Amino acid sequence: MSDVHASPTQEVCSVQVGDTLYGVPIAHVLEILGKPATQPVPLAPYFVGGLVHYRGEVLTAVSLRRLLGMEPAKTPEDVLVFENPDGLFGLFVDSVGEVLHVSQAEHEPNPATLEPRRQQLFAGAWKLKDRLLVSLEPERLDPMRLASAFPA
Amino acid sequence: MDDLTREFILESREGLDRMERCLTDLETRPGDTELLAEIFRSVHTIKGTTGFLGFSRLEALSHAGENLLGLLRDGKLAANPDIISGLLALMDVLRGVLQSIETTGAEGESQQADSALIARLEELQRGDASLAVAEPVLAAVEAAPSHAARPRKPRGTGKHISRRPRGDHQGTPPPNDPGEAGPPIAVEAAPREAEPQPRPAPAAVSSTSARPATQAQPEAPAAATPGAADSTLRVDVELLNRMMNLVGELVLTRNQILQATSTDANFALLGRRLDMVTADLRESVMKARMQPVSHLFSRFPRLVRDLALALDKRVHLEMEGQETELDKSLLEAIRDPLTHSIRNAIDHGIECPDVRVAQGKPAEGLVRLRACHEGSHVIVEVHDDGAGMSIERIRQKAVERQLVSPQRAEQMNEREILQLIFLPGFSTAAAVTNVSGRGVGMDVVRTNVEKIGGKVEVDSHAGKGTILRLRIPLTLAIIPALIVHSRGQNFAVPQASLTELVHMSAGETDNRIEWLENAALYRLRGRLLPLVFLDRLLQQPPRERTAPCDIAILNADGRRFGLVVDGLADPEEIVVKPLAAVLREIGYYAGATILGNGEMALILNPGSIAQNANVTLTSEADDGLDENRAGRQDFLLVETGNRRAALPLETVVRIERIPRSRIERAGSRPVLRFEGQLLPLDDAASELIDASDDPEAQTTVVVCRDGDRQVGMTVSQVLDVTGGKQLEQAGTGGVAGGITLLHERVTGIVGLSGIPSLECVAETPAVPDFPSAEETQ
C-alpha cells in the first residue's frame, strides 16, 4: 500500500494480456464486463475485436491482442468499458485482476528501445515489487484514433 | 448558453408555432378574439422574457408587435391581410433572431431591417386604428394613404422592406399594397370593405378552415389549450433515448430470468409479472416519444398560403388526421420530403385559376393532407386535384433520358411508368418538371423516406390530380427485419427492402444457381436475377457449394438482387443501435441490434451492398411487388392443371413444397400439418389421390390467409407476381368480381372462402419458391 510520505498515489485496475500485466487508471473504467457474449464484425479494421452489449447499447470493442499482433485468445475475454467524447467503447483483455495502488514516483516513461507501435500505445510503466505494470490510457485506445494512427 | 436562455428559446419557438397557426386561421376568422388573444400571449411572453434576459432587439420587435396585437385584441382594429402579412413577417424575423441566439449566443445585427419592420407594424396600427375608431364610411378615403409610408415616421425608411428570411416569399407583392389581399372573407369582414383597391386580388388563399371539414379538427389539441401546460412537461429527447435503451436492457434481462426460472412455479409467477410490467413500460416509453403529426402539419398552411400567393394560384388546404401520432425523430425525418411534396403539388399539380375554370374545375385548387394509421405504419398522403401526370409524357421523357429502352417502355403498364419519376436521372432536368407535373427531386423524397424504412407510392390521373402516399413506420428505433445466418453469424435484413425468399435444399444449389463467368444468377420466374453471396461479400470462410441456402430477394432503391445466405430465422422487430464510426465506414452495415434471445446482429444495408456488388440500377425493374394502389391489386399468378388462376397477394402466407406423404386425410378431405396447425387443403380434382402412390413426389402448396383461418391450395406451378386491373362489367359500371386482367388475359381470382369447392389440381411442380409476401408473416 502507498505510504503517506511518497508522491501521490493512484488506483489502477490491473489486467492481464498474454504474459504482460497492464494497468488502467480506475477512474477511466466505466464498468467491467465479465466474459460477455461478443459478435465479430466482418470486414472491420483488424484491431476491432467485435461488438459487445452494454446497457442497451452496442459497443465496439478494441482487442488489445490484435492491436499488439498477438495470437487470438483461447478463452472468452473480459471487456473494460471506457467513455470517449464520441460515446462508449470496449477493450478486450484476457482477464481483469485486482485494483492496485501505485505511486507516481514508481512511474517511468516508455524505454526508447520499445517498438514504435507500443511506444504509441503504452504510457510508460509502474515498477511493482516483482514485475512491471504497463500503463494504458484509454484515450490512446479510442477506435477512431486507432483507425487513423494504425491503418491496416 | 445558460439554461434560462435555452428554456426561453424553446418556449418562444412554441409560442411562435402557435402564433403561426393562429395567424393563418385569422385570415378566415378575422374577428375571432380567442385567436387574437392567443397570438397576443405568444408575443407578450417573448417580450416579457427578453427584457429580463437583455435581448434588446427581440424586445423592440416584439414590443411593436404587441402594440399592434393589443389593438386587435381590444377590437380597436380589425385584422386584415396586410396586418396578417405584417405579423407573419414579424414572426419570421423573431424566429431568425432566436436561431441566431441559439447558434451564436447573440441576437445578431440587423437594425435597419428591424426598424423598417417596426415602422411597418406601427404603420398598420396607426392607419387602421384611426380608421376603425373613426367613422367606417370615411375609411375608404383614409385607408389608401394610410398604407403608404409616412414621412413623418422618424424611424421609417420611407420604403417598407418586407424582410423575410425564407426565399419563398419573393413573389409576394410589397406589403403596403392592398392587392396582396389574403382571403376574400378577411377583406369583407374588415371595416374598410369599401376601400378602393388598386387591382383585384391576384390570388387568394384560404389556407385552412374555410370548409367545416377541416375546421372541426383543432390544429394542435395539446398545444392550443393553455390548460394543457399544467399536465405536461418538457423532456429532453436524449433522456427518452436513454430510457428506451434501458428498457431494451430490461427486456433482455427479463428474457434471461424467464429462462432461468422456468422450472420453479413461484418464480415463474414472478417472472410473468415482470414480463407484463416490462412490456407495459416499454410501450409507455415508446409512447412518450410520439407526437401528433399536427406538430408538422401546422407549418403547412403558411407554406401553402405563401406559395399560392407567389404563384398566382388559389389553393385550399385541407388537413385530416392531425391527431395521428408518430415518433418524434420520424416526424423530423419526413419534414423535408413532405414539404417538398406539397410544394410540388402546388407548383406543378394545381393549375392556375383560369385554366382550372376552363376545364370545369373550381377555380380554387384543393390540396389534401391526410394522416392515418394502417397496421404498423402511418400513412401520410398529399392529394391534389390538379393536372396530374401524363403517362405518355413520362414514358417519352424516360426514353429520352435513356432510363428505359424504348421497347421496354412500350411494355410497361401505367403503374410501372409512374414509378419512373422516382429514378434519380428523371429529376435532374428542369424540362421534365413542366412536363410531368412532378419530378423535382422525387428521388430525394423517396430516398429520404426509405432511409427511415418507409415507402413512397404515387398514383396520378391526367387532368384529375395526383396522390403521393408516404408510408412511414411507427417508430424509427424499431424496424421489422428478417434475421438471416451466414457462417454462424446473425444478420438483420430490413423487411422494407425484402420482397421475396427462395429456399434451396442441399443439392439443388448447384443446379439452380447459374453462372455467367463469375457472375452468379438465379432464374426467378424466367428473369435472371444477379446474386450476391453474403459470405463472400464479407470475406467469411466460404461455404460448400452444395450446402443448402436461402436467397433473400431484395429491392434496394430500385436495385434488385438476391442475397445468398446460409439460412433464415424468424422475422423480428428489432431496435436499431448505431455503430461506431469505424464500423459505419465499412458501409455494409446500417447498425446493430440485440435480438430477443440476447444475441447481437449486424443490420445489413441493402443499398450499399447492391452498389458495392455493382448491381446496376434496374430502372426497368418490375416493381410488381410493391404495395397495392387504388383500384389495383397484386396477385400471385399460378397454374393449376392447365388453367391459370390468381390469388390476391396479401392473402398469401407462404408457398411450400411438400412431400405428398405429409398430406393426410380427415374424412374425405385432404389436410396438411403446417407449423403445428391443420390446414384444409383444396383438392377438388382428386389428383392427389391418384398420385399418392409415390410418397417421394412433392406438391407445391400455396398457404393463404382467409379471415382468421389459413387454407392451402395445391398448384402445379407458380407463374408470377403481378398487378391486376379491375374490370368493369359492360353496361353496369360496376366492378366485375372474381376476375381480373393479368398480362392482358382475363384470369379468375380464387375465392378462398369457398376453398373446399375450388377446382385446382396438383402436379409435381418444377420450381419450388418461397415468397413470403412482406408483412404477411
Side-chain angles (χ1 to χ4, degrees):
Chain A
M1 282 288 124
S2 61
D3 68 89
V4 231
H5 314 292
S7 57
T9 65
Q10 151 171 56
E11 283 182 312
V12 296
C13 172
S14 69
V15 297
Q16 184 87 29
V17 178
D19 298 329
T20 316
L21 194 65
Y22 297 88
V24 187
I26 198 94
H28 294 275
V29 180
L30 221 57
E31 192 155 335
I32 296 162
L33 309 177
K35 322 280 179 219
T38 65
Q39 165 87 11
V41 183
L43 303 182
Y46 70 98
F47 55 78
V48 172
L51 301 176
V52 290
H53 173 206
Y54 170 69
R55 302 211 169 177
E57 300 277 352
V58 175
L59 303 190
T60 306
V62 170
S63 159
L64 201 53
R65 277 181 169 269
R66 287 179 185 229
L67 203 51
L68 299 176
M70 297 162 67
E71 290 286 302
K74 304 270 188 313
T75 51
E77 297 169 285
D78 289 336
V79 171
L80 302 182
V81 179
F82 299 129
E83 189 164 15
N84 66 356
D86 309 330
L88 307 175
F89 69 97
L91 180 74
F92 280 110
V93 296
D94 288 3
S95 59
V96 176
E98 55 189 328
V99 173
L100 304 172
H101 293 255
V102 290
S103 142
Q104 206 46 47
E106 299 299 311
H107 186 268
E108 295 223 15
N110 287 331
T113 48
L114 194 68
E115 182 237 347
R117 161 179 299 243
R118 284 169 168 76
Q119 290 273 13
Q120 284 194 58
L121 288 173
F122 302 160
W126 288 284
K127 295 165 284 181
L128 301 186
K129 236 179 249 158
D130 47 355
R131 63 189 299 190
L132 290 177
L133 181 70
V134 180
S135 167
L136 286 181
E137 286 174 354
E139 54 266 39
R140 298 189 187 214
L141 300 168
D142 181 317
M144 257 341 251
R145 190 186 162 275
L146 291 176
S148 52
F150 305 115
Chain B
M1 200 193 320
D2 58 290
D3 285 351
L4 201 60
T5 312
R6 197 172 295 123
E7 183 80 2
F8 159 70
I9 289 175
L10 277 174
E11 213 169 70
S12 304
R13 285 228 170 103
E14 276 175 16
L16 289 175
D17 287 347
R18 267 202 305 279
M19 178 174 167
E20 175 161 8
R21 281 194 294 273
C22 294
L23 275 175
T24 35
D25 272 3
L26 197 63
E27 295 215 292
T28 46
R29 289 179 288 156
D32 192 323
T33 46
E34 209 150 287
L35 284 177
L36 285 165
E38 181 70 45
I39 299 170
F40 181 82
R41 259 201 305 277
S42 309
V43 178
H44 181 74
T45 311
I46 293 178
K47 185 194 144 191
T49 328
T50 45
F52 174 67
L53 289 170
F55 293 122
S56 55
R57 194 178 153 203
L58 275 181
E59 190 180 9
L61 284 165
S62 48
H63 179 73
E66 193 192 33
N67 285 345
L68 176 59
L69 282 163
L71 291 174
L72 287 168
R73 187 188 55 170
D74 301 342
K76 292 186 179 142
L77 198 64
N80 62 32
D82 285 351
I83 290 180
I84 290 172
S85 288
L87 288 170
L88 283 172
L90 168 71
M91 202 184 66
D92 286 338
V93 175
L94 289 178
R95 278 212 178 117
V97 178
L98 286 175
Q99 180 67 36
S100 152
I101 293 176
E102 192 178 30
T103 48
T104 66
E107 291 180 288
E109 295 296 322
S110 181
Q111 302 304 335
Q112 172 93 12
D114 281 4
S115 46
L117 179 63
I118 290 169
R120 178 177 162 197
L121 290 172
E122 279 174 13
E123 201 70 49
L124 286 166
Q125 141 193 6
R126 185 180 300 241
D128 288 46
S130 59
L131 166 164
V133 178
E135 302 141 76
V137 194
L138 293 177
V141 191
E142 292 214 349
S146 79
H147 282 284
R150 296 196 171 178
R152 60 194 159 88
K153 285 241 87 339
R155 277 186 291 176
T157 53
K159 253 187 274 172
H160 292 306
I161 306 158
S162 164
R163 200 178 163 283
R164 302 182 189 179
R166 294 190 210 151
D168 48 13
H169 306 288
Q170 276 139 13
T172 317
N176 56 352
D177 179 356
E180 184 201 12
I185 312 155
V187 179
E188 281 157 24
R192 44 190 195 90
E193 188 182 3
E195 174 189 326
Q197 301 213 349
R199 55 190 168 94
V205 194
S206 52
S207 319
T208 38
S209 64
R211 302 186 191 180
T214 35
Q215 203 39 55
Q217 184 61 237
E219 295 212 333
T225 11
D230 303 333
S231 60
T232 57
L233 96 152
R234 210 177 281 127
V235 178
D236 195 340
V237 178
E238 271 303 303
L239 179 64
L240 286 177
N241 289 345
R242 178 146 174 69
M243 281 167 71
M244 192 76 189
N245 274 344
L246 291 175
V247 168
E249 172 95 353
L250 185 61
V251 170
L252 291 173
T253 315
R254 171 202 67 184
N255 291 352
Q256 283 159 10
I257 288 185
L258 288 184
Q259 275 170 16
T261 58
S262 53
T263 46
D264 186 312
N266 266 334
F267 268 123
L269 208 66
L270 282 172
R272 266 207 297 281
R273 173 115 190 87
L274 178 67
D275 190 36
M276 262 163 47
V277 174
T278 313
D280 271 5
L281 182 63
R282 182 176 171 205
E283 203 161 295
S284 309
V285 173
M286 298 218 333
K287 226 178 189 160
R289 293 176 52 93
M290 304 292 257
Q291 284 189 316
V293 292
S294 56
H295 281 249
L296 181 56
F297 280 14
S298 59
R299 68 198 299 262
F300 293 131
R302 170 79 187 280
L303 178 83
V304 171
R305 174 190 194 267
D306 289 343
L307 261 181
L309 277 176
L311 293 166
D312 268 8
K313 291 180 180 175
R314 296 185 50 188
V315 184
H316 171 78
L317 177 68
E318 263 185 29
M319 301 198 281
E320 268 177 55
Q322 301 217 45
E323 70 289 348
T324 314
E325 290 195 323
L326 202 56
D327 189 282
K328 178 174 169 65
S329 48
L330 286 170
L331 269 188
E332 287 303 314
I334 61 167
R335 177 184 296 258
D336 286 349
L338 205 53
T339 308
H340 202 97
S341 309
I342 291 172
R343 260 170 207 279
N344 263 349
I346 296 171
D347 193 0
H348 308 301
I350 303 285
E351 312 91 328
C352 291
D354 46 335
V355 178
R356 290 183 62 89
V357 172
Q359 288 178 349
K361 292 183 188 179
E364 189 181 56
L366 173 70
V367 172
R368 190 187 296 128
L369 204 54
R370 197 169 75 95
C372 63
H373 279 284
E374 196 183 290
S376 60
H377 285 81
V378 166
I379 311 286
V380 182
E381 264 182 11
V382 182
H383 181 176
D384 68 70
D385 68 345
M389 292 186 262
S390 155
I391 299 293
E392 273 318 303
R393 305 296 287 271
I394 300 176
R395 199 193 304 262
Q396 272 176 28
K397 279 289 159 189
V399 173
E400 260 170 51
R401 309 212 165 267
Q402 303 185 332
L403 296 169
V404 303
S405 64
Q407 298 85 346
R408 174 71 188 136
E410 279 311 306
Q411 294 164 2
M412 290 171 96
N413 62 29
E414 280 190 20
R415 199 192 64 195
E416 287 174 313
I417 295 280
L418 275 178
Q419 293 300 316
L420 293 177
I421 64 162
F422 292 115
L423 293 180
F426 202 88
S427 62
T428 46
V432 182
T433 63
N434 36 29
V435 168
S436 61
R438 292 297 138 87
V440 185
M442 286 313 286
D443 67 313
V444 179
V445 170
R446 178 164 88 165
T447 314
N448 282 341
V449 172
E450 285 182 351
K451 217 179 268 171
I452 52 170
K455 285 199 166 181
V456 186
E457 298 159 13
V458 65
D459 198 10
S460 182
H461 296 283
K464 288 188 182 157
T466 303
I467 303 178
L468 197 76
R469 203 173 288 127
L470 313 186
R471 190 179 286 265
I472 319 289
L474 273 181
T475 62
L476 176 61
I478 297 183
I479 60 166
L482 179 77
I483 311 304
V484 302
H485 302 305
S486 179
R487 314 317 296 146
Q489 257 185 272
N490 299 316
F491 295 92
V493 180
Q495 288 274 15
S497 51
L498 185 68
T499 57
E500 213 168 328
L501 296 168
V502 175
H503 175 75
M504 287 187 189
S505 53
E508 273 184 323
T509 331
D510 234 7
N511 301 330
R512 295 184 48 202
I513 294 180
E514 301 178 66
W515 293 85
L516 203 152
E517 296 293 324
N518 285 326
L521 299 162
Y522 174 73
R523 223 179 273 218
L524 180 71
R525 289 187 291 276
R527 282 213 191 149
L528 288 177
L529 185 78
L531 293 182
V532 175
F533 292 87
L534 189 57
D535 54 345
R536 286 186 210 185
L537 185 78
L538 300 180
Q539 295 170 20
Q540 295 176 301
R543 82 164 69 79
E544 280 176 52
R545 259 185 98 118
T546 53
C549 64
D550 286 277
I551 304 177
I553 292 162
L554 305 177
N555 187 342
D557 314 334
R559 293 178 165 87
R560 241 162 103 74
F561 67 101
L563 187 70
V564 184
V565 297
D566 291 353
L568 306 174
D570 289 330
E572 220 174 285
E573 302 262 300
I574 59 169
V575 183
V576 180
K577 306 286 179 189
L579 279 179
V582 284
L583 302 183
R584 272 201 305 271
E585 280 167 10
I586 302 171
Y588 295 141
Y589 311 121
T593 190
I594 298 149
L595 303 178
N597 59 9
E599 288 176 25
M600 280 167 285
L602 288 157
I603 304 165
L604 295 175
N605 179 348
S608 67
I609 291 178
Q611 229 156 23
N612 277 285
N614 286 326
V615 176
T616 50
L617 194 69
T618 38
S619 53
E620 316 178 17
D622 53 335
D623 282 2
L625 296 163
D626 278 3
E627 265 92 327
N628 306 336
R629 270 152 209 91
R632 299 172 172 280
Q633 207 177 4
D634 283 332
F635 292 98
L636 183 74
L637 185 61
V638 296
E639 195 178 283
T640 59
N642 43 18
R643 293 183 45 194
R644 284 149 52 101
L647 283 158
L649 190 61
E650 72 265 17
T651 66
V652 176
V653 179
R654 285 171 88 131
I655 302 175
E656 287 274 8
R657 202 177 176 202
I658 288 163
R660 290 208 173 131
S661 53
R662 262 180 64 194
I663 297 172
E664 293 170 55
R665 294 194 167 270
S668 62
R669 195 164 293 172
V671 290
L672 172 69
R673 264 177 297 129
F674 176 70
E675 290 181 342
Q677 295 172 304
L678 267 190
L679 210 62
L681 267 192
D682 166 57
D683 184 35
S686 307
E687 286 217 351
L688 273 181
I689 306 171
D690 302 339
S692 58
D693 301 340
D694 176 11
E696 293 300 303
Q698 293 194 322
T699 293
T700 303
V701 174
V702 181
V703 181
C704 299
R705 184 176 294 132
D706 175 38
D708 291 335
R709 67 171 186 157
Q710 292 193 343
V711 294
M713 171 174 156
T714 54
V715 300
S716 355
Q717 207 176 336
V718 175
L719 296 171
D720 200 359
V721 174
T722 182
K725 266 188 203 160
Q726 282 184 352
L727 293 179
E728 276 187 13
Q729 259 176 299
T732 62
V735 174
I739 54 170
T740 182
L741 197 63
L742 294 180
H743 292 322
E744 304 303 315
R745 278 172 63 180
V746 173
T747 311
I749 302 172
V750 176
L752 292 169
S753 52
I755 262 294
S757 63
L758 278 179
E759 297 168 343
C760 297
V761 188
E763 273 177 24
T764 309
V767 188
D769 284 347
F770 287 76
S772 77
E774 245 180 85
E775 299 170 354
T776 53
Q777 289 208 340

